[in-house]
Amino acid sequence: MSVNSLLLRNVYANVYVSRMKANYSEPKIYTGGISIDTWSKLTRAEQKEALSKDWYVYYSFRHPKTLKLKRQNPIKGGANRFKTKRERITFLKQLQRNLSLMLQAGFSPYEYQPELENNFFGVTNPVEKEKNLKVVRNDVQPIEDGCTTINEAFELGLKLKEQVLAETSYPKFKSKINQFKRWLLDNDFKLSDDVRRITKKNVITYLNYVLTRTSSRNRNNSRTDLNSLFQLWVDNELIKENFILEINTLKSKPKLNKTYTPEVQELLFEYMSEKSPILELYVRFIYYNLLRPIEVCRLRIKDVDVINKRLTYKAKNKLVRTMIIPDALVELLPDLKTKSPEHWLFTPNKIGGFWITSDSERRNYFTKEFKKVKDHFKLGREYGLYSFRHTSITNLYREFRKTMTPFETKSKLMLITGHKTMDALEMYLRDIDAELPEDYSQYLK
Protein backbone atom coordinates (compact mmCIF):
# COMPACT_ATOMS: atom_id res chain seq x y z
CA MET A 1 0.00 0.00 0.00
CA SER A 2 1.39 3.47 -0.94
CA VAL A 3 2.11 6.22 1.56
CA ASN A 4 -0.61 8.29 -0.12
CA SER A 5 -3.17 5.58 0.59
CA LEU A 6 -2.02 5.39 4.20
CA LEU A 7 -2.30 9.15 4.56
CA LEU A 8 -5.84 9.20 3.13
CA ARG A 9 -6.96 6.27 5.26
CA ASN A 10 -5.61 7.82 8.47
CA VAL A 11 -7.02 11.26 7.71
CA TYR A 12 -10.46 9.63 7.37
CA ALA A 13 -9.97 7.65 10.58
CA ASN A 14 -8.80 10.64 12.57
CA VAL A 15 -11.67 12.87 11.41
CA TYR A 16 -14.42 10.25 11.69
CA VAL A 17 -13.38 8.56 14.94
CA SER A 18 -12.18 11.58 16.88
CA ARG A 19 -13.31 14.86 15.40
CA MET A 20 -12.12 16.95 18.33
CA LYS A 21 -9.12 14.91 19.50
CA ALA A 22 -5.88 14.15 17.70
CA ASN A 23 -4.39 10.70 18.15
CA TYR A 24 -1.01 12.15 19.09
CA SER A 25 0.72 15.28 20.29
CA GLU A 26 3.28 16.99 18.11
CA PRO A 27 6.81 15.78 18.93
CA LYS A 28 8.84 18.16 21.07
CA ILE A 29 12.49 18.35 22.04
CA TYR A 30 13.71 18.15 25.65
CA THR A 31 16.97 20.09 26.06
CA GLY A 32 18.13 19.34 29.57
CA GLY A 33 15.59 21.46 31.41
CA ILE A 34 16.53 24.80 29.84
CA SER A 35 15.05 26.84 26.99
CA ILE A 36 17.27 26.62 23.93
CA ASP A 37 16.33 30.21 23.08
CA THR A 38 18.18 31.45 26.17
CA TRP A 39 21.33 29.39 25.53
CA SER A 40 23.55 32.40 24.84
CA LYS A 41 22.50 33.96 28.17
CA LEU A 42 23.54 30.92 30.21
CA THR A 43 26.87 30.68 31.99
CA ARG A 44 29.35 28.04 30.88
CA ALA A 45 28.58 26.06 34.01
CA GLU A 46 24.83 26.14 33.24
CA GLN A 47 25.48 25.11 29.62
CA LYS A 48 27.69 22.26 30.79
CA GLU A 49 25.03 21.13 33.25
CA ALA A 50 22.37 21.12 30.51
CA LEU A 51 24.61 19.11 28.15
CA SER A 52 25.33 16.59 30.92
CA LYS A 53 21.66 15.58 30.83
CA ASP A 54 19.97 13.46 28.19
CA TRP A 55 18.32 15.38 25.35
CA TYR A 56 15.55 13.66 23.43
CA VAL A 57 12.35 13.91 21.40
CA TYR A 58 9.11 13.11 23.20
CA TYR A 59 5.45 12.85 22.30
CA SER A 60 2.17 11.32 23.46
CA PHE A 61 -0.08 8.90 21.61
CA ARG A 62 -3.67 7.90 22.29
CA HIS A 63 -3.84 4.48 23.96
CA PRO A 64 -6.15 2.12 22.06
CA LYS A 65 -7.87 0.88 25.25
CA THR A 66 -8.17 3.95 27.46
CA LEU A 67 -8.45 6.41 24.52
CA LYS A 68 -6.28 8.80 26.56
CA LEU A 69 -3.05 10.37 25.40
CA LYS A 70 -0.17 8.35 26.84
CA ARG A 71 3.37 9.70 27.09
CA GLN A 72 5.65 7.46 25.01
CA ASN A 73 9.23 6.48 25.68
CA PRO A 74 11.74 9.26 24.93
CA ILE A 75 13.54 8.97 21.60
CA LYS A 76 17.26 9.77 21.71
CA GLY A 77 18.60 8.06 18.60
CA GLY A 78 22.19 8.63 19.74
CA ALA A 79 21.77 12.40 20.03
CA ASN A 80 23.67 12.55 23.33
CA ARG A 81 26.85 11.39 21.67
CA PHE A 82 27.15 14.94 20.33
CA LYS A 83 28.95 17.23 22.75
CA THR A 84 27.84 20.65 21.52
CA LYS A 85 24.46 22.35 21.57
CA ARG A 86 24.56 23.05 17.82
CA GLU A 87 25.23 19.43 16.83
CA ARG A 88 22.74 18.00 19.28
CA ILE A 89 19.83 20.31 18.46
CA THR A 90 20.42 19.92 14.69
CA PHE A 91 20.24 16.14 15.01
CA LEU A 92 17.15 16.22 17.26
CA LYS A 93 15.29 18.63 14.97
CA GLN A 94 15.77 16.21 12.10
CA LEU A 95 14.62 13.37 14.32
CA GLN A 96 11.61 15.45 15.39
CA ARG A 97 10.71 16.18 11.75
CA ASN A 98 10.99 12.53 10.71
CA LEU A 99 8.84 11.37 13.62
CA SER A 100 6.24 14.01 12.81
CA LEU A 101 6.08 12.77 9.20
CA MET A 102 5.68 9.18 10.38
CA LEU A 103 2.87 10.12 12.76
CA GLN A 104 1.12 12.02 9.99
CA ALA A 105 1.48 8.94 7.80
CA GLY A 106 -0.33 6.85 10.40
CA PHE A 107 2.45 5.41 12.55
CA SER A 108 1.32 3.97 15.89
CA PRO A 109 3.66 2.71 18.65
CA TYR A 110 0.95 0.19 19.60
CA GLU A 111 0.71 -1.54 16.22
CA TYR A 112 2.92 -3.51 13.89
CA GLN A 113 2.59 -1.79 10.49
CA PRO A 114 4.87 -3.50 7.95
CA GLU A 115 3.44 -1.69 4.91
CA LEU A 116 3.91 1.74 6.48
CA GLU A 117 7.37 0.87 7.71
CA ASN A 118 8.48 -0.48 4.35
CA ASN A 119 7.15 2.56 2.52
CA PHE A 120 8.63 5.04 4.98
CA PHE A 121 12.10 3.51 5.29
CA GLY A 122 12.28 2.16 1.74
CA VAL A 123 13.84 -1.15 2.84
CA THR A 124 12.56 -4.66 3.11
CA ASN A 125 15.59 -6.28 4.76
CA PRO A 126 14.44 -7.19 8.31
CA VAL A 127 17.84 -6.31 9.84
CA GLU A 128 17.97 -2.87 8.20
CA LYS A 129 14.31 -2.24 9.02
CA GLU A 130 14.84 -3.03 12.70
CA LYS A 131 17.93 -0.82 12.77
CA ASN A 132 15.90 2.14 11.49
CA LEU A 133 12.96 1.42 13.76
CA LYS A 134 15.24 1.64 16.81
CA VAL A 135 15.42 5.39 16.26
CA VAL A 136 11.63 5.68 16.37
CA ARG A 137 10.81 3.06 18.97
CA ASN A 138 13.98 3.67 21.00
CA ASP A 139 14.59 -0.08 20.90
CA VAL A 140 11.84 -0.79 23.44
CA GLN A 141 8.24 -1.83 23.45
CA PRO A 142 5.61 0.54 24.84
CA ILE A 143 5.20 -0.02 28.54
CA GLU A 144 1.94 -0.91 30.16
CA ASP A 145 -0.54 1.96 30.32
CA GLY A 146 -0.44 3.85 33.60
CA CYS A 147 3.16 2.87 34.42
CA THR A 148 6.15 5.14 34.91
CA THR A 149 9.54 4.36 33.44
CA ILE A 150 12.67 4.12 35.55
CA ASN A 151 14.05 7.17 33.77
CA GLU A 152 10.91 9.23 34.44
CA ALA A 153 10.81 8.13 38.10
CA PHE A 154 14.44 9.07 38.73
CA GLU A 155 14.08 12.42 36.97
CA LEU A 156 10.97 13.24 39.00
CA GLY A 157 12.68 12.22 42.24
CA LEU A 158 15.74 14.39 41.62
CA LYS A 159 13.65 17.33 40.44
CA LEU A 160 11.45 17.33 43.55
CA LYS A 161 14.30 16.69 45.98
CA GLU A 162 16.26 19.58 44.51
CA GLN A 163 13.47 21.88 45.66
CA VAL A 164 13.49 20.72 49.30
CA LEU A 165 17.06 19.70 50.11
CA ALA A 166 19.70 22.15 51.22
CA GLU A 167 22.33 23.33 48.76
CA THR A 168 24.93 21.19 50.54
CA SER A 169 22.72 18.09 50.80
CA TYR A 170 21.33 17.79 47.28
CA PRO A 171 24.63 17.03 45.44
CA LYS A 172 25.32 14.14 47.84
CA PHE A 173 21.77 12.83 47.40
CA LYS A 174 21.98 13.13 43.62
CA SER A 175 25.31 11.30 43.56
CA LYS A 176 23.97 8.38 45.62
CA ILE A 177 20.82 8.09 43.49
CA ASN A 178 22.71 8.22 40.19
CA GLN A 179 25.08 5.51 41.44
CA PHE A 180 22.07 3.26 42.02
CA LYS A 181 20.69 4.15 38.59
CA ARG A 182 23.98 3.22 36.91
CA TRP A 183 24.03 -0.06 38.82
CA LEU A 184 20.55 -0.88 37.53
CA LEU A 185 21.64 -0.26 33.94
CA ASP A 186 24.68 -2.47 34.48
CA ASN A 187 22.42 -5.24 35.75
CA ASP A 188 19.97 -5.81 32.87
CA PHE A 189 17.60 -2.92 33.59
CA LYS A 190 16.63 -0.35 30.97
CA LEU A 191 15.60 3.26 31.43
CA SER A 192 12.35 2.40 29.67
CA ASP A 193 11.46 -0.39 32.13
CA ASP A 194 8.54 0.02 34.50
CA VAL A 195 9.89 1.44 37.77
CA ARG A 196 7.83 -1.21 39.58
CA ARG A 197 10.24 -3.81 38.21
CA ILE A 198 12.73 -2.78 40.93
CA THR A 199 12.30 -5.20 43.83
CA LYS A 200 13.45 -5.38 47.41
CA LYS A 201 15.92 -8.08 46.41
CA ASN A 202 17.43 -5.76 43.78
CA VAL A 203 18.00 -3.04 46.39
CA ILE A 204 19.49 -5.48 48.91
CA THR A 205 21.86 -6.78 46.22
CA TYR A 206 22.91 -3.22 45.41
CA LEU A 207 23.47 -2.31 49.08
CA ASN A 208 25.60 -5.43 49.52
CA TYR A 209 27.57 -4.32 46.47
CA VAL A 210 28.16 -0.90 48.09
CA LEU A 211 29.16 -2.57 51.37
CA THR A 212 31.78 -4.81 49.75
CA ARG A 213 33.30 -1.88 47.83
CA THR A 214 33.22 0.80 50.55
CA SER A 215 32.01 0.63 54.15
CA SER A 216 28.97 -0.05 56.31
CA ARG A 217 28.59 3.69 56.89
CA ASN A 218 28.46 4.42 53.16
CA ARG A 219 26.06 1.52 52.69
CA ASN A 220 23.75 2.95 55.37
CA ASN A 221 23.93 6.40 53.77
CA SER A 222 22.94 4.87 50.43
CA ARG A 223 20.03 3.10 52.10
CA THR A 224 18.87 6.38 53.68
CA ASP A 225 18.86 8.22 50.34
CA LEU A 226 17.13 5.36 48.53
CA ASN A 227 14.53 5.24 51.28
CA SER A 228 13.85 8.92 50.73
CA LEU A 229 13.55 8.40 46.96
CA PHE A 230 11.23 5.39 47.24
CA GLN A 231 9.01 7.20 49.74
CA LEU A 232 8.71 10.07 47.28
CA TRP A 233 7.64 7.55 44.62
CA VAL A 234 5.01 6.17 46.99
CA ASP A 235 3.73 9.66 47.79
CA ASN A 236 3.40 10.37 44.07
CA GLU A 237 1.71 6.99 43.41
CA LEU A 238 4.47 5.65 41.16
CA ILE A 239 4.86 2.54 43.32
CA LYS A 240 2.63 0.97 45.97
CA GLU A 241 5.01 0.47 48.89
CA ASN A 242 8.37 1.53 50.24
CA PHE A 243 9.98 -1.82 51.02
CA ILE A 244 13.30 -0.17 51.92
CA LEU A 245 11.83 0.49 55.36
CA GLU A 246 12.11 -3.28 55.86
CA ILE A 247 15.85 -3.31 55.07
CA ASN A 248 17.97 -3.07 58.22
CA THR A 249 20.74 -0.58 58.82
CA LEU A 250 24.12 -2.03 59.74
CA LYS A 251 26.21 -1.14 62.74
CA SER A 252 28.93 1.31 61.81
CA LYS A 253 31.59 3.06 63.82
CA PRO A 254 31.80 6.73 62.82
CA LYS A 255 35.23 8.28 62.64
CA LEU A 256 35.12 11.15 65.13
CA ASN A 257 37.59 13.99 65.24
CA LYS A 258 39.79 13.78 68.31
CA THR A 259 40.20 16.72 70.67
CA TYR A 260 43.51 18.60 70.74
CA THR A 261 45.73 18.73 73.78
CA PRO A 262 46.43 22.26 75.10
CA GLU A 263 50.03 22.01 73.88
CA VAL A 264 49.11 21.01 70.31
CA GLN A 265 46.33 23.58 70.12
CA GLU A 266 48.70 26.38 71.12
CA LEU A 267 51.21 25.31 68.47
CA LEU A 268 48.49 25.23 65.80
CA PHE A 269 47.25 28.73 66.56
CA GLU A 270 50.79 30.15 66.64
CA TYR A 271 51.61 28.58 63.29
CA MET A 272 48.37 29.78 61.63
CA SER A 273 48.82 33.27 63.06
CA GLU A 274 52.16 33.51 61.29
CA LYS A 275 51.40 31.66 58.04
CA SER A 276 47.68 32.26 57.46
CA PRO A 277 45.93 34.86 59.68
CA ILE A 278 42.64 34.48 57.77
CA LEU A 279 42.62 30.74 58.45
CA GLU A 280 43.45 31.38 62.11
CA LEU A 281 40.45 33.73 62.54
CA TYR A 282 38.26 31.20 60.69
CA VAL A 283 39.31 28.51 63.18
CA ARG A 284 38.78 30.90 66.11
CA PHE A 285 35.10 31.17 65.13
CA ILE A 286 34.86 27.37 65.37
CA TYR A 287 36.66 27.32 68.72
CA TYR A 288 35.05 30.32 70.48
CA ASN A 289 31.55 30.26 68.97
CA LEU A 290 31.39 26.47 68.56
CA LEU A 291 30.31 26.81 64.94
CA ARG A 292 30.60 24.04 62.41
CA PRO A 293 33.02 24.77 59.53
CA ILE A 294 30.23 25.23 56.98
CA GLU A 295 28.37 27.56 59.37
CA VAL A 296 31.41 29.83 59.47
CA CYS A 297 31.49 29.81 55.66
CA ARG A 298 27.89 31.11 55.58
CA LEU A 299 28.68 34.20 57.64
CA ARG A 300 28.33 37.61 55.99
CA ILE A 301 29.53 40.93 57.40
CA LYS A 302 25.96 41.82 58.39
CA ASP A 303 25.75 38.68 60.56
CA VAL A 304 28.47 39.93 62.91
CA ASP A 305 27.17 42.60 65.29
CA VAL A 306 30.33 43.69 67.09
CA ILE A 307 28.65 46.49 69.07
CA ASN A 308 26.05 44.23 70.70
CA LYS A 309 28.31 41.15 70.53
CA ARG A 310 25.75 39.08 68.65
CA LEU A 311 26.25 36.55 65.88
CA THR A 312 23.45 35.40 63.56
CA TYR A 313 23.94 32.36 61.35
CA LYS A 314 22.22 29.46 59.62
CA ALA A 315 22.65 26.41 61.84
CA LYS A 316 22.40 22.71 61.09
CA ASN A 317 19.25 22.12 63.13
CA LYS A 318 17.69 25.60 62.95
CA LEU A 319 17.02 27.99 60.10
CA VAL A 320 18.50 31.00 61.92
CA ARG A 321 20.28 31.03 65.27
CA THR A 322 21.57 33.96 67.33
CA MET A 323 24.29 33.66 69.95
CA ILE A 324 26.73 35.90 71.75
CA ILE A 325 30.24 36.60 70.50
CA PRO A 326 32.64 35.95 73.41
CA ASP A 327 34.93 38.81 74.35
CA ALA A 328 37.94 36.64 73.50
CA LEU A 329 36.77 36.58 69.87
CA VAL A 330 35.61 40.21 69.73
CA GLU A 331 39.18 41.28 70.55
CA LEU A 332 40.47 39.42 67.49
CA LEU A 333 38.02 40.90 64.97
CA PRO A 334 39.24 43.56 62.53
CA ASP A 335 37.27 46.75 61.84
CA LEU A 336 34.21 45.65 59.83
CA LYS A 337 32.52 49.06 59.54
CA THR A 338 34.00 49.79 56.12
CA LYS A 339 32.93 46.43 54.70
CA SER A 340 29.80 45.86 52.63
CA PRO A 341 27.10 44.11 54.74
CA GLU A 342 26.50 41.60 51.94
CA HIS A 343 30.14 40.55 51.61
CA TRP A 344 31.22 37.14 52.87
CA LEU A 345 33.11 37.40 56.14
CA PHE A 346 35.76 34.92 54.97
CA THR A 347 37.34 34.79 51.51
CA PRO A 348 40.69 33.31 50.44
CA ASN A 349 42.49 36.66 50.36
CA LYS A 350 40.79 38.98 52.82
CA ILE A 351 38.17 39.44 55.52
CA GLY A 352 35.03 40.73 53.83
CA GLY A 353 34.68 40.36 50.07
CA PHE A 354 32.96 38.75 47.09
CA TRP A 355 33.38 35.02 46.58
CA ILE A 356 31.12 33.50 43.94
CA THR A 357 30.94 29.83 44.87
CA SER A 358 28.82 27.45 46.96
CA ASP A 359 28.90 26.90 50.73
CA SER A 360 30.43 23.47 50.15
CA GLU A 361 33.20 24.81 47.96
CA ARG A 362 34.05 27.50 50.55
CA ARG A 363 34.20 24.86 53.27
CA ASN A 364 36.37 22.61 51.08
CA TYR A 365 38.78 25.47 50.49
CA PHE A 366 39.39 26.05 54.21
CA THR A 367 39.55 22.31 54.85
CA LYS A 368 42.37 22.03 52.30
CA GLU A 369 44.12 25.05 53.78
CA PHE A 370 44.01 23.51 57.24
CA LYS A 371 45.31 20.22 55.87
CA LYS A 372 48.53 22.04 54.99
CA VAL A 373 48.81 22.98 58.67
CA LYS A 374 48.07 19.40 59.76
CA ASP A 375 50.70 18.05 57.37
CA HIS A 376 53.27 20.42 58.83
CA PHE A 377 52.66 18.97 62.31
CA LYS A 378 52.18 15.43 60.94
CA LEU A 379 48.68 15.08 62.43
CA GLY A 380 46.57 12.12 61.28
CA ARG A 381 43.11 11.93 59.71
CA GLU A 382 41.52 11.80 63.16
CA TYR A 383 42.29 15.50 63.61
CA GLY A 384 40.48 18.21 61.70
CA LEU A 385 38.61 21.51 61.90
CA TYR A 386 35.82 19.80 63.86
CA SER A 387 38.42 18.90 66.49
CA PHE A 388 38.48 22.54 67.60
CA ARG A 389 34.74 22.44 68.30
CA HIS A 390 35.09 19.20 70.27
CA THR A 391 38.06 20.62 72.17
CA SER A 392 36.22 23.79 73.12
CA ILE A 393 33.11 21.95 74.34
CA THR A 394 35.25 19.49 76.30
CA ASN A 395 37.14 22.33 77.99
CA LEU A 396 33.91 24.17 78.85
CA TYR A 397 32.33 21.04 80.30
CA ARG A 398 35.28 20.25 82.51
CA GLU A 399 35.55 23.85 83.77
CA PHE A 400 31.81 24.04 84.55
CA ARG A 401 31.95 20.71 86.39
CA LYS A 402 34.43 22.11 88.87
CA THR A 403 31.68 24.18 90.53
CA MET A 404 28.40 22.74 89.17
CA THR A 405 26.46 19.50 89.27
CA PRO A 406 26.29 17.39 86.07
CA PHE A 407 22.73 18.61 85.38
CA GLU A 408 23.64 22.27 85.92
CA THR A 409 26.67 21.86 83.70
CA LYS A 410 24.71 20.31 80.84
CA SER A 411 21.90 22.85 81.14
CA LYS A 412 24.35 25.71 80.80
CA LEU A 413 26.24 23.97 78.03
CA MET A 414 23.06 23.44 75.96
CA LEU A 415 22.66 27.21 75.62
CA ILE A 416 26.14 27.38 74.11
CA THR A 417 26.29 24.28 71.90
CA GLY A 418 22.79 24.57 70.45
CA HIS A 419 21.76 20.95 71.11
CA LYS A 420 17.98 20.72 71.17
CA THR A 421 17.64 18.05 73.86
CA MET A 422 19.58 16.92 76.90
CA ASP A 423 19.77 13.40 75.46
CA ALA A 424 21.41 14.70 72.28
CA LEU A 425 23.97 16.65 74.31
CA GLU A 426 24.71 13.70 76.59
CA MET A 427 25.29 11.42 73.59
CA TYR A 428 27.62 14.01 72.08
CA LEU A 429 29.56 14.38 75.33
CA ARG A 430 29.95 10.60 75.57
CA ASP A 431 31.23 10.44 72.00
CA ILE A 432 33.98 13.00 72.65
CA ASP A 433 34.79 11.67 76.15
CA ALA A 434 34.19 15.06 77.72
CA GLU A 435 33.87 13.72 81.27
CA LEU A 436 36.59 11.52 82.68
CA PRO A 437 36.57 9.81 86.09
CA GLU A 438 38.85 10.80 88.94
CA ASP A 439 41.86 8.67 89.70
CA TYR A 440 40.64 5.33 91.05
CA SER A 441 44.02 3.78 91.90
CA GLN A 442 43.23 3.58 95.63
CA TYR A 443 40.34 1.24 94.92
CA LEU A 444 42.59 -1.26 93.15
CA LYS A 445 45.16 -1.67 95.90
Side-chain angles (χ1 to χ4, degrees):
M1 181 180 294
S2 67
V3 174
N4 286 335
S5 298
L6 285 166
L7 281 168
L8 289 173
R9 184 183 69 180
N10 282 279
V11 166
Y12 171 79
N14 289 341
V15 172
Y16 182 78
V17 176
S18 182
R19 293 179 183 271
M20 301 300 293
K21 297 180 180 179
N23 279 337
Y24 59 88
S25 65
E26 281 298 321
K28 296 180 181 179
I29 299 176
Y30 175 78
T31 53
I34 56 94
S35 172
I36 204 68
D37 296 331
T38 63
W39 186 265
S40 60
K41 298 180 182 179
L42 301 177
T43 64
R44 287 191 176 183
E46 291 171 332
Q47 292 177 353
K48 185 177 179 181
E49 174 67 17
L51 287 170
S52 69
K53 299 178 182 179
D54 284 340
W55 291 22
Y56 51 80
V57 174
Y58 65 96
Y59 72 106
S60 297
F61 200 93
R62 197 169 302 283
H63 194 277
K65 293 183 179 180
T66 65
L67 300 181
K68 295 181 180 180
L69 287 178
K70 166 66 179 175
R71 177 77 169 266
Q72 302 301 305
N73 296 315
I75 301 171
K76 302 173 187 175
N80 297 296
R81 289 177 295 185
F82 297 106
K83 302 304 179 184
T84 67
K85 180 269 294 186
R86 182 184 297 276
E87 293 175 320
R88 199 176 288 189
I89 198 65
T90 299
F91 179 87
L92 286 171
K93 282 184 175 179
Q94 186 63 42
L95 192 62
Q96 179 189 34
R97 177 179 176 276
N98 290 344
L99 176 60
S100 182
L101 290 174
M102 285 194 67
L103 290 167
Q104 292 173 32
F107 171 77
S108 169
Y110 298 103
E111 298 178 23
Y112 175 57
Q113 301 161 298
E115 294 179 358
L116 174 61
E117 292 164 4
N118 288 338
N119 281 318
F120 193 89
F121 293 114
V123 294
T124 55
N125 184 294
V127 176
E128 288 297 319
K129 184 197 303 180
E130 183 61 25
K131 181 179 178 181
N132 286 327
L133 279 172
K134 283 183 179 181
V135 175
V136 177
R137 298 186 184 277
N138 203 28
D139 198 25
V140 295
Q141 294 298 319
I143 60 176
E144 180 185 346
D145 183 53
C147 298
T148 303
T149 66
I150 287 176
N151 191 54
E152 291 171 338
F154 274 80
E155 286 188 351
L156 175 66
L158 291 175
K159 181 179 179 181
L160 296 181
K161 284 296 182 181
E162 188 174 15
Q163 303 302 314
V164 298
L165 291 179
E167 181 184 358
T168 54
S169 301
Y170 177 72
K172 298 175 184 178
F173 175 83
K174 181 180 179 181
S175 175
K176 288 283 193 296
I177 296 307
N178 282 335
Q179 287 173 26
F180 177 55
K181 185 178 179 181
R182 286 193 292 271
W183 182 87
L184 290 174
L185 297 180
D186 291 339
N187 287 269
D188 300 325
F189 281 83
K190 294 181 180 179
L191 292 178
S192 57
D193 288 344
D194 182 353
V195 69
R196 292 176 295 186
R197 183 188 165 193
I198 303 174
T199 64
K200 179 180 176 181
K201 185 176 181 180
N202 295 141
V203 177
I204 291 175
T205 303
Y206 170 71
L207 293 177
N208 288 339
Y209 165 78
V210 174
L211 177 62
T212 56
R213 289 175 60 89
T214 56
S215 64
S216 58
R217 183 180 182 183
N218 192 39
R219 180 264 189 198
N220 289 341
N221 290 338
S222 296
R223 177 200 170 277
T224 298
D225 287 335
L226 288 177
N227 175 57
S228 180
L229 177 68
F230 275 66
Q231 188 57 51
L232 183 147
W233 288 348
V234 171
D235 295 340
N236 287 272
E237 299 184 347
L238 306 188
I239 58 177
K240 292 184 178 180
E241 63 172 339
N242 180 9
F243 47 71
I244 298 186
L245 292 170
E246 303 172 2
I247 301 176
N248 294 331
T249 56
L250 301 180
K251 289 185 178 180
S252 63
K253 188 176 182 180
K255 295 180 180 179
L256 295 175
N257 289 277
K258 287 186 177 181
T259 56
Y260 294 113
T261 63
E263 295 77 17
V264 171
Q265 180 176 297
E266 184 177 355
L267 288 174
L268 290 172
F269 278 127
E270 287 179 358
Y271 183 82
M272 287 187 288
S273 177
E274 178 183 351
K275 300 292 184 180
S276 181
I278 294 177
L279 177 62
E280 185 209 0
L281 185 59
Y282 176 89
V283 173
R284 295 281 185 181
F285 268 83
I286 298 174
Y287 181 75
Y288 285 119
N289 264 111
L290 309 184
L291 300 183
R292 298 172 178 84
I294 199 165
E295 292 170 348
V296 181
C297 292
R298 292 176 181 148
L299 292 175
R300 296 181 185 268
I301 296 296
K302 64 182 180 182
D303 299 325
V304 184
D305 182 355
V306 179
I307 296 177
N308 297 302
K309 300 179 183 179
R310 294 290 183 271
L311 185 70
T312 304
Y313 66 98
K314 182 180 178 182
K316 176 181 178 181
N317 53 8
K318 193 175 182 180
L319 187 59
V320 176
R321 184 167 182 243
T322 301
M323 64 186 307
I324 67 166
I325 305 176
D327 288 337
L329 182 57
V330 172
E331 295 171 359
L332 300 174
L333 292 176
D335 184 10
L336 303 178
K337 295 177 183 178
T338 59
K339 307 292 184 180
S340 171
E342 296 300 326
H343 281 181
W344 297 109
L345 180 61
F346 289 99
T347 71
N349 303 315
K350 61 181 180 178
I351 299 297
F354 283 113
W355 192 2
I356 304 175
T357 187
S358 65
D359 293 349
S360 297
E361 289 301 317
R362 288 194 289 274
R363 177 190 58 190
N364 292 341
Y365 170 80
F366 284 106
T367 299
K368 291 175 183 178
E369 288 298 299
F370 183 68
K371 186 178 185 303
K372 298 175 185 177
V373 179
K374 286 203 317 175
D375 292 344
H376 175 78
F377 289 98
K378 295 182 173 56
L379 296 175
R381 294 179 60 186
E382 65 274 21
Y383 293 99
L385 289 172
Y386 258 98
S387 295
F388 288 99
R389 188 171 188 267
H390 299 334
T391 301
S392 180
I393 293 175
T394 299
N395 292 342
L396 286 173
Y397 181 84
R398 291 175 181 173
E399 285 299 315
F400 291 162
R401 278 287 288 119
K402 291 179 180 179
T403 57
M404 301 179 189
T405 65
F407 181 79
E408 290 173 335
T409 298
K410 294 169 189 175
S411 298
K412 186 171 184 177
L413 203 55
M414 276 184 67
L415 296 174
I416 302 174
T417 65
H419 286 91
K420 286 188 174 182
T421 65
M422 186 70 76
D423 288 341
L425 176 61
E426 289 175 345
M427 182 178 297
Y428 174 81
L429 293 173
R430 285 196 297 271
D431 287 339
I432 65 174
D433 295 325
E435 183 166 23
L436 298 176
E438 297 179 357
D439 184 15
Y440 47 85
S441 301
Q442 57 179 322
Y443 301 105
L444 298 178
K445 294 179 180 179

